[in-house]
Amino acid sequence: MMRKGVLKIVVPCYNEEEVLHETNKRLLEVITSMEQSGTIVSGGVVYVDDGSRDKTWQIIDELSKADSHVAGIKLAHNSGHQSALFAGLTLVSECCDMAVSIDADLQDDTNAIFEMVDKYNDGYEVVFGVRRERTTDTWFKRNTALAFYKLMSVMGTDVKYNHADFRLLGSAALKALVSMPERNLFLRGMVRTLGFKNTDVFYDRSERFAGESKYPLSKMMNFAVDGITSFSVKPLRLIFSFGIFFILIAIVAIGYGLYSYYIGITIPGWTSLLISLWLIGGAVLLAIGVVGEYVGKIYKEVKRRPLYVIERTENLK
Ligand code: UDP
Ligand code: MG
């Protein structure tokens, strides 16, 4: 079954005056081409100005006046990439059949949008843009990135390797996503929890077209920590495991301590100190682990995520 619909491309922009004209040109090319070939019913680009201090909004304003395909949203202050994107997705969720999110800097290949829309037309609800392995990347870069994804998954956050925020969402998935009321956004993880029929589209990632990255290393680190702590209670559970581990060591220490005591190779006080050290450590960690379990529950409650997402119903009157 082929389906087709209205496409909105959502672009968060923070101080992007240097790239906007080029970005707009390329996105409009993609849209007009798909409108002409009948792949989509109609398309539009929605720029979200995330409180930029340069001419970004002025440019968006001009572009939207020049072409009815272009729309703009101006946020009152800088809210960060994830929030800006969420704002755009929320506002388009009622007026499109599918939404593509893409950065303003043209690092993601705009031509991959064609393939994403084809997948949507084939019935996929979520299409992930996945960056091909860059052979030009240094060994260090590739492995730190890999370590990052590994750490995330060990800590219980499901992320897709080499997928950032370049993706297509059908309106069912989109509405489910924007109905998540949480404050700590980590969209690429949230999308993964949705389910739906999904697939990947591969592309080569280029350098930034112009301007500089708005994500310095410090922001990246924060983002990684956010990714783990806003998704998973595993770190809390780990405390409990450490507690058990310490208690086990305590048991071994008790055995060893008593044995040494009886064969008389100890100085007075050593046995009791050794044993209580491990036992207390273990007990404290266990206790924190128990508290952590409750904190984890509270954390899940306050997120108020929907309990389920309905993909479709049949014959339900
Ligand atoms: N961005 C934003 N608000 C911010 C920081 C960034 O809307 O506070 C936008 C930015 O304009 C770009 C996207 O988020 O469209 C990704 O940022 P950037 O390309 O600087 O990140 P990088 O690709 O270097 O990780
Ligand atoms: Mg970028």
Side-chain angles (χ1 to χ4, degrees):
M1 187 199 71
M2 274 283 277
R3 55 175 182 172
K4 108 185 185 176
V6 176
L7 164 73
K8 296 281 181 203
I9 302 179
V10 180
V11 192
C13 312
Y14 178 55
N15 296 340
E16 299 285 8
E17 58 180 11
E18 286 163 89
V19 295
L20 266 181
H21 284 285
E22 181 65 23
T23 307
N24 190 59
K25 191 177 132 246
R26 294 212 203 158
L27 290 176
L28 286 183
E29 273 167 18
V30 171
I31 285 175
T32 20
S33 147
M34 283 195 294
E35 280 180 347
Q36 276 161 9
S37 66
T39 325
I40 55 173
V41 173
S42 69
V45 189
V46 179
Y47 295 102
V48 184
D49 175 19
D50 186 16
S52 301
R53 274 162 299 176
D54 64 357
K55 294 207 183 70
T56 299
W57 177 250
Q58 227 167 298
I59 298 171
I60 295 173
D61 194 35
E62 281 161 23
L63 293 173
S64 64
K65 287 192 171 108
D67 192 323
S68 62
H69 285 103
V70 181
I73 299 167
K74 186 180 193 312
L75 301 186
H77 61 252
N78 180 243
S79 318
H81 175 213
Q82 300 285 295
S83 303
L85 185 52
F86 198 78
L89 292 174
T90 307
L91 277 137
V92 302
S93 66
E94 293 299 328
C95 61
C96 70
D97 299 300
M98 66 195 116
V100 167
S101 48
I102 187 169
D103 289 350
D105 58 4
L106 295 172
Q107 280 193 282
D108 306 316
D109 182 6
T110 51
N111 288 318
I113 297 174
F114 290 110
E115 213 182 314
M116 288 182 172
V117 172
D118 285 342
K119 297 279 187 201
Y120 170 85
N121 289 347
D122 287 343
Y124 289 98
E125 191 62 22
V126 180
V127 188
F128 299 102
V130 178
R131 182 169 70 217
R132 272 196 205 97
E133 207 61 66
R134 265 196 299 176
T135 39
T136 48
D137 269 352
T138 60
W139 181 90
F140 181 77
K141 177 99 197 269
R142 256 181 293 145
N143 284 280
T144 44
L146 192 63
F148 169 76
Y149 287 101
K150 280 266 161 62
L151 177 71
M152 299 281 274
S153 67
V154 167
M155 287 298 175
T157 304
D158 179 21
V159 281
K160 199 169 185 66
Y161 184 52
N162 266 343
H163 164 69
D165 281 303
F166 183 30
R167 75 179 77 85
L168 178 146
L169 295 172
S171 71
L174 180 61
K175 284 182 181 140
L177 178 72
V178 299
S179 74
M180 291 189 181
E182 58 202 78
R183 308 288 87 190
N184 292 291
L185 294 180
F186 188 67
L187 291 172
R188 63 189 72 170
M190 289 156 71
V191 171
R192 295 287 287 168
T193 65
L194 287 176
F196 289 102
K197 195 176 171 194
N198 59 73
T199 185
D200 302 337
V201 158
F202 295 90
Y203 68 98
D204 293 308
R205 194 167 162 95
S206 16
E207 298 298 323
R208 214 171 207 291
F209 182 76
E212 54 198 39
S213 172
K214 275 74 190 175
Y215 264 103
L217 189 65
S218 59
K219 260 198 195 173
M220 287 261 285
M221 302 285 266
N222 282 336
F223 194 52
V225 173
D226 270 357
I228 293 169
T229 53
S230 62
F231 255 83
S232 144
V233 290
K234 252 203 181 163
L236 293 175
R237 290 247 162 88
L238 274 182
I239 300 176
F240 195 80
S241 315
F242 275 127
I244 303 270
F245 183 63
F246 270 50
I247 297 277
L248 287 179
I249 294 183
I251 292 171
V252 175
I254 289 171
Y256 175 67
L258 289 180
Y259 169 76
S260 315
Y261 181 75
Y262 282 118
I263 62 169
I265 54 162
T266 57
I267 49 169
W270 176 82
T271 315
S272 52
L273 264 183
L274 175 83
I275 293 173
S276 38
L277 189 76
W278 287 103
L279 261 182
I280 289 175
V284 168
L285 279 175
L286 267 188
I288 296 179
V290 171
V291 174
E293 202 50 42
Y294 284 95
V295 174
K297 294 274 181 313
I298 296 170
Y299 159 94
K300 281 187 188 156
E301 284 296 332
V302 297
K303 266 223 247 276
R304 308 205 66 80
R305 282 213 188 139
L307 289 176
Y308 52 83
V309 174
I310 294 175
E311 187 165 334
R312 64 201 297 171
T313 59
E314 216 73 71
N315 236 350
L316 187 75
K317 299 244 169 62

